[in-house]
Amino acid sequence: MQNKFLQPIPSSLEAMRKFSETYAQRTGTVFCVDPSVTAVVIEGLARHKDDYGSPLCPCRHYEDKSIEVLNTYWNCPCVPMRERKECHCMLFLSPDNEFAGTNQEIDAKTITDLIK
């Protein structure tokens, strides 16, 4: 069952927040200078986790999201991110990227405030 208009389950949102922080720290990447970009992407990952069981990249168009999840190419971290550190969603940015901030952390309250 898809929840296109509902907020993600809080535990999924928290899991994706923690995943994003850990992955940024592990890869030496940072979040976007605009925290609303980070919040919306984490929300999208959580929603896809709720709807499809996997954090499919929320910033792309898919003909069939269920098939894309099974293919795993765009499941976060997607193949372009893992192989070339290219994040289409701007969640994980190299520090020299023009949109890079300095943070590798975002608190749950900030996310919830920004996605409302």
Side-chain angles (χ1 to χ4, degrees):
M1 182 170 141
Q2 296 178 6
N3 67 7
K4 292 180 182 182
F5 302 105
L6 300 175
Q7 294 295 319
I9 297 169
S11 61
S12 296
L13 193 62
E14 181 62 8
M16 291 297 92
R17 182 188 74 77
K18 286 181 178 178
F19 154 76
S20 299
E21 289 181 347
T22 300
Y23 191 79
Q25 291 164 6
R26 198 175 84 224
T27 59
T29 56
V30 293
F31 296 146
C32 183
V33 68
D34 180 349
S36 67
V37 170
T38 304
V40 168
V41 174
I42 291 173
E43 175 194 26
L45 291 172
R47 185 168 292 157
H48 281 165
K49 186 171 175 8
D50 292 345
D51 292 347
Y52 303 102
S54 187
L56 181 66
C57 177
C59 301
R60 304 188 68 80
H61 171 74
Y62 308 99
E63 293 297 322
D64 186 328
K65 290 181 181 181
S66 298
I67 290 173
E68 292 296 337
V69 164
L70 294 174
N71 289 335
T72 72
Y73 187 89
W74 292 114
N75 293 349
C76 191
C78 65
V79 171
M81 180 61 208
R82 290 188 312 246
E83 290 182 353
R84 300 180 300 277
K85 285 194 176 181
E86 294 173 1
C87 184
H88 175 79
C89 299
M90 293 180 33
L91 179 59
F92 305 116
L93 299 171
S94 299
D96 62 345
N97 185 293
E98 65 180 305
F99 299 105
T102 56
N103 294 323
Q104 293 178 315
E105 296 179 351
I106 186 167
D107 61 67
K109 183 177 180 341
T110 299
I111 293 173
T112 15
D113 289 349
L114 290 170
I115 64 174
K116 286 185 179 180

